[in-house]
Amino acid sequence: MNALQSKGKTSIFWYLVVVFPVAMTLLFMFNIYLGSVDIPFQEMLRILGRRESVHESWINIIFEFRLPKATTAVLVGAGLSISGLLMQTLFNNPLAGPFVLGITSGASLGVALLVMASYLLAGMLPVLGEIGHWALIIAGCLGASLVLLIILLVSIRVKSSMTLLIIGLLFGSTTGALVSILQFFSDKDEIQAYLIWTFGSLGGLTWDELVVFIPVVVSGLILAFLLKKPLNALLIGESYAQSMGVNVKKVRLMIILTTSLLAGSITAFCGPIAFIGIAVPHMARIILNSGNHRYLTLATIMLGIIVMLLCDTIAQLPGSQYILPINAITSLFGAPMVIWIVLGKKDVRNSFA
Amino acid sequence: MTHETSHIVLETVNLAVGYRSGSSKKTILDRINLKLERGNLVCLLGENGVGKSTLLKTISGVISPLSGDIFIDGTPLYRISQKALAKKISLVLTGTQKPGILKVRELVALGRYPYTGWGGGLSADDHKKIDRALSLTNIDYMAEENVATLSDGQMQKVMIARALAQDSDMMILDEPTAFLDVNNRLEIMHLLKMLAWETKKAILVSTHDLDTAFHTADQLWLATCCLPITTGCPEDLIVQGEIAHLFDHEAFTFDHWSGRFKANFKSVKRIFLVGEDKYHLWTRNGLERIGFKVTNEEAPLKLTILSDRNPRRWSLSFKEECHDFNGIGDLIRFLRSHTLSD
């Protein structure tokens, strides 16, 4: 029995300390290595290490384009996956993800208002061509924060987490409807600009923006780490958690705040990116064969980074000039993943969380 | 006096429980004056909807009392923080949401929650407490199993082990056996009794299973609608007629002899039964089941169990008629299909 126990523990340890970190590092390097301009691997390492190269432009490519993009992928992968895990555990629902609270819809509405309402609010907003990236980010943040505020107020009032889930989903529909109305009144350029935003993009961020984005995501990840103990207690239900001394309301508020911070900022900075949040926590559970948040939190973050880097590498179609929309790639990858999970397990409820 | 009070882990004084909605109160049980002693298994009995769960939720601090006081180890409940209360009271509920891929040991370890740091890391002492909880509940053999593969009965034992690991003076169980079959129900109740005696915890179990409660509980708390809770040792409550009185029902009455509830029938037909030992007992049971009143005096209807040969025969005489049967089943079938009036 002890041998069995130590065997399970060893394999989890092996994944967390060796397999995941190595895969993460390799994929990160590979992600920077690949691109439309061929830079030899040796040369790339030299640029990263000593900031010197035979071609001045290569340094520029690596530091101003590829490194920010890979960093963004790391942050997005980690943030979305851990948000998904938080939501799945809080709502005890295998289909919950970072966007069930309606945060993304809020961000979409903010962006849609900015991009498309210029027609309605003529003169008040800059015309389409001049909408900068920062404006998009601020609009997204405002939209996400508004929904976050409402969700927080509601969560203080309602007793059941299930009610919260339903309210979040309804928010999604409502904002979706508002966006549809906006689209109806917009011209095709505006609609296209909005549509491009919905494709999601990891490549749009410069260091200026990353300086804001990095601390936000990192603080979200730290919050998530601090929550791993109460998350385990929530696995057996809120009543039991409360009887063990968990302040369920406070923990719920913390979980929502963390998820909103992560999902909201990621959507504002990079657009909506689907499926990572739902699929990665399931993958982590299956690989570790454990639902214990002591290991699952770290595993989900690392696996999220791995998957996001992988998706981004696929999206930039190695050897070509094109970059496919990242949102499409994650869905293409995520949907079969979720289907595989559902079909592969006899009882999804048992395998979940 | 001081020695006596130290045995008492829970005391309620003029407690009223129920629900508040806005400014209106809905009282479910009131005038509750109870004392819970260490080392005892106490069964809270009552019909569905009488307020057992509400009382337990109030005692365990989930909902606040409408009026009155609750003292835990002499301290008023409202003065105890949620964290400190977790070290005093542990809970086991009717059903548990399936926690997914978690080993039995990991689930039991959750009981150490109030004692661990922010990361939930377990000390050597925590591991010792977990081991003890596993062995007291006889589930050490499945410590490494995934909880998703367990049966309902096994799962409930795991939840009891988890409550034990919480190391509280008091364990409160709300209908822990409601979904279990008879064997599992008995096993769980005996396990609880053993735990109460061995670990000197006060264990309070709500149930509507009178039968099991009579045979395991050290004390009964009887909750009935609109009356104060009656408490006492099960045997006392039976001989004092409290059980029969409180659980009076038009379709059932409590039988002092068997400790069971028996169905009431409107038209009672008397039957004189002659026989011995188990044949007498079970024939009598069968007859009562179909509405006969068995007497030891002469009656027009007379049943004799003939023991002169094996297998036994049942001989029924009514007026001039006489019928012989080879088993109780045949006899009952005959009695049900014939109206034998006086």
Side-chain angles (χ1 to χ4, degrees):
Chain A
M1 206 54 77
N2 267 333
L4 196 79
Q5 181 185 351
S6 55
K7 192 189 152 216
K9 283 266 163 62
T10 318
S11 78
I12 288 176
F13 186 76
W14 177 251
Y15 277 114
L16 291 183
V17 176
V18 183
V19 179
F20 289 160
V22 167
M24 252 161 50
T25 319
L26 288 180
L27 275 166
F28 189 77
M29 301 308 265
F30 195 58
N31 190 277
I32 296 173
Y33 169 62
L34 289 176
S36 50
V37 178
D38 267 330
I39 302 173
F41 201 76
Q42 292 286 328
E43 196 60 25
M44 180 197 85
L45 290 180
R46 209 156 73 95
I47 296 170
L48 284 176
R50 279 178 282 168
R51 256 184 187 270
E52 56 183 47
S53 169
V54 280
H55 299 279
E56 195 63 27
S57 66
W58 285 4
I59 300 180
N60 201 34
I61 289 174
I62 298 279
F63 274 97
E64 297 307 317
F65 293 96
R66 295 193 188 173
L67 200 55
K69 184 153 157 282
T71 310
T72 310
V74 167
L75 295 170
V76 169
L80 289 181
S81 310
I82 199 73
S83 310
L85 178 65
L86 292 179
M87 290 293 100
Q88 288 175 4
T89 303
L90 175 66
F91 294 122
N92 181 34
N93 190 324
L95 287 177
F99 305 137
V100 287
L101 294 176
I103 306 288
T104 321
S105 320
S108 312
L109 184 63
V111 170
L113 276 170
L114 177 75
V115 176
M116 297 187 283
S118 45
Y119 173 80
L120 298 171
L121 310 166
M124 283 175 68
L125 287 165
V127 281
L128 179 73
E130 292 162 31
I131 296 174
H133 205 223
W134 269 115
L136 276 178
I137 291 170
I138 290 167
C141 278
L142 286 176
S145 314
L146 179 74
V147 174
L148 161 67
L149 195 71
I150 298 171
I151 288 283
L152 283 179
L153 289 176
V154 171
S155 76
I156 293 167
R157 281 186 62 93
V158 299
K159 277 216 175 95
S160 144
S161 292
M162 210 42 78
T163 316
L164 208 59
L165 185 62
I166 293 165
I167 291 170
L169 289 171
L170 289 179
F171 259 132
S173 314
T174 315
T175 46
L178 287 172
V179 170
S180 297
I181 292 171
L182 282 172
Q183 280 179 325
F184 184 76
F185 286 109
S186 305
D187 64 33
K188 71 174 196 296
D189 286 345
E190 292 166 337
I191 292 174
Q192 198 188 9
Y194 175 73
L195 217 59
I196 285 173
W197 179 79
T198 64
F199 287 158
S201 155
L202 301 175
L205 300 192
T206 63
W207 286 113
D208 284 346
E209 289 146 356
L210 279 173
V211 167
V212 180
F213 192 45
I214 291 171
V216 172
V217 173
V218 169
S219 49
L221 294 179
I222 292 171
L223 280 174
F225 258 101
L226 295 176
L227 285 167
K228 62 184 180 181
K229 188 184 162 189
L231 282 172
N232 267 348
L234 282 177
L235 284 179
I236 50 174
E238 292 185 0
S239 311
Y240 273 118
Q242 191 173 1
S243 80
M244 295 190 290
V246 181
N247 186 339
V248 172
K249 265 198 167 172
K250 194 179 118 199
V251 165
R252 199 203 292 166
L253 212 66
M254 285 276 287
I255 292 176
I256 291 168
L257 197 70
T258 309
T259 305
S260 308
L261 195 68
L262 290 169
S265 64
I266 288 169
T267 311
F269 278 82
C270 305
I273 293 167
F275 271 111
I276 295 288
I278 299 177
V280 170
H282 289 296
M283 290 172 70
R285 275 185 210 106
I286 289 170
I287 290 174
L288 295 189
N289 191 27
S290 174
N292 190 338
H293 290 80
R294 284 188 71 191
Y295 322 113
L296 200 55
T297 336
L298 186 59
T300 303
I301 289 175
M302 292 202 281
L303 203 61
I305 293 171
I306 292 170
V307 170
M308 203 64 220
L309 285 169
L310 207 62
C311 285
D312 184 51
T313 311
I314 297 168
Q316 59 193 5
L317 288 176
S320 84
Q321 298 285 344
Y322 298 102
I323 295 178
L324 295 177
I326 189 68
N327 197 7
I329 298 298
T330 53
S331 296
L332 273 176
F333 170 86
M337 180 70 216
V338 173
I339 292 169
W340 178 65
I341 291 163
V342 171
L343 292 181
K345 292 278 163 180
K346 285 189 190 101
D347 184 356
V348 190
R349 299 291 301 185
N350 283 348
S351 69
F352 145 75
Chain B
M1 187 64 199
T2 43
H3 179 73
E4 185 143 297
T5 47
S6 72
H7 281 301
I8 293 164
V9 284
L10 172 92
E11 188 175 357
T12 68
V13 179
N14 283 327
L15 180 70
V17 301
Y19 289 96
R20 276 193 187 88
S21 61
S23 56
S24 66
K25 289 181 189 175
K26 188 178 186 305
T27 306
I28 296 175
L29 282 170
D30 60 357
R31 289 170 284 165
I32 307 167
N33 292 292
L34 299 166
K35 279 180 184 153
L36 187 59
E37 280 173 67
R38 246 174 255 276
N40 275 337
L41 174 66
V42 177
C43 279
L44 171 60
L45 284 167
E47 291 171 29
N48 283 334
V50 81
K52 297 192 295 285
S53 285
T54 316
L55 175 62
L56 294 187
K57 276 184 192 164
T58 312
I59 291 174
S60 52
V62 177
I63 54 178
S64 45
L66 294 182
S67 65
D69 293 301
I70 301 168
F71 297 96
I72 310 258
D73 280 335
T75 315
L77 179 65
Y78 67 87
R79 294 241 310 262
I80 305 173
S81 75
Q82 196 192 356
K83 260 195 186 143
L85 192 63
K87 296 181 184 177
K88 303 256 182 205
I89 302 179
S90 54
L91 275 188
V92 177
L93 307 169
T94 312
T96 313
Q97 78 182 26
K98 286 274 179 188
I101 315 173
L102 214 56
K103 286 182 183 142
V104 167
R105 204 191 157 78
E106 288 176 308
L107 205 158
V108 174
L110 284 178
R112 298 305 297 164
Y113 192 96
Y115 306 91
T116 54
W118 71 270
L122 301 167
S123 69
D125 182 52
D126 290 327
H127 279 298
K128 236 166 55 196
K129 295 262 163 64
I130 295 162
D131 285 335
R132 188 169 144 75
L134 287 167
S135 71
L136 276 171
T137 47
N138 302 316
I139 54 168
D140 357 33
Y141 69 95
M142 53 183 189
E144 298 303 316
E145 305 256 328
N146 181 352
V147 290
T149 62
L150 303 184
S151 70
D152 289 345
Q154 287 174 319
M155 189 65 192
Q156 215 50 313
K157 277 200 211 167
V158 173
M159 294 318 285
I160 290 170
R162 189 208 57 81
L164 275 179
Q166 207 170 321
D167 207 16
S168 54
D169 292 337
M170 211 191 312
M171 197 191 283
I172 293 181
L173 301 94
D174 191 5
E175 306 246 6
T177 58
F179 295 149
L180 305 182
D181 56 34
V182 181
N183 293 336
N184 273 309
R185 237 184 275 171
L186 275 170
E187 198 186 337
I188 296 273
M189 289 301 285
H190 278 284
L191 170 69
L192 289 172
K193 180 197 177 112
M194 184 277 290
L195 290 176
W197 289 15
E198 223 157 272
T199 64
K200 296 281 171 260
K201 286 181 197 304
I203 301 187
L204 174 59
V205 188
S206 80
T207 176
H208 46 238
D209 182 8
L210 279 169
D211 216 32
T212 321
F214 285 145
H215 293 106
T216 44
D218 296 306
Q219 230 200 356
L220 296 182
W221 291 0
L222 304 173
T224 32
C225 189
C226 314
L227 283 172
I229 291 178
T230 312
T231 65
C233 130
E235 292 74 18
D236 274 338
L237 292 173
I238 293 172
V239 293
Q240 288 160 6
E242 292 286 354
I243 305 271
H245 173 63
L246 289 171
F247 291 91
D248 190 30
H249 192 277
E250 54 181 278
F252 296 94
T253 16
F254 187 75
D255 180 58
H256 303 281
W257 296 106
S258 60
R260 279 167 214 277
F261 284 85
K262 286 187 174 164
N264 288 340
F265 286 92
K266 289 230 170 73
S267 62
V268 179
K269 281 173 275 179
R270 287 153 55 83
I271 187 164
F272 176 36
L273 177 63
V274 183
E276 56 194 25
D277 54 89
K278 64 180 177 191
Y279 295 97
H280 183 276
L281 175 69
W282 289 101
T283 308
R284 178 195 160 114
N285 249 357
L287 290 170
E288 284 175 346
R289 178 156 63 84
I290 56 167
F292 281 87
K293 184 165 173 54
V294 178
T295 68
N296 297 321
E297 301 145 18
E298 284 291 343
L301 205 53
K302 181 179 177 182
L303 181 67
T304 317
I305 305 168
L306 303 167
S307 57
D308 54 333
R309 64 184 135 129
N310 238 342
R312 272 153 225 260
R313 280 180 308 113
W314 281 258
S315 172
L316 180 74
S317 58
F318 177 68
K319 289 175 186 167
E320 309 293 277
E321 288 176 55
C322 194
H323 297 275
D324 272 16
F325 304 95
N326 291 322
I328 303 172
D330 289 340
L331 167 73
I332 284 175
R333 214 167 295 132
F334 176 83
L335 286 171
R336 282 182 60 186
S337 56
H338 294 75
T339 331
L340 304 165
S341 53
D342 294 325

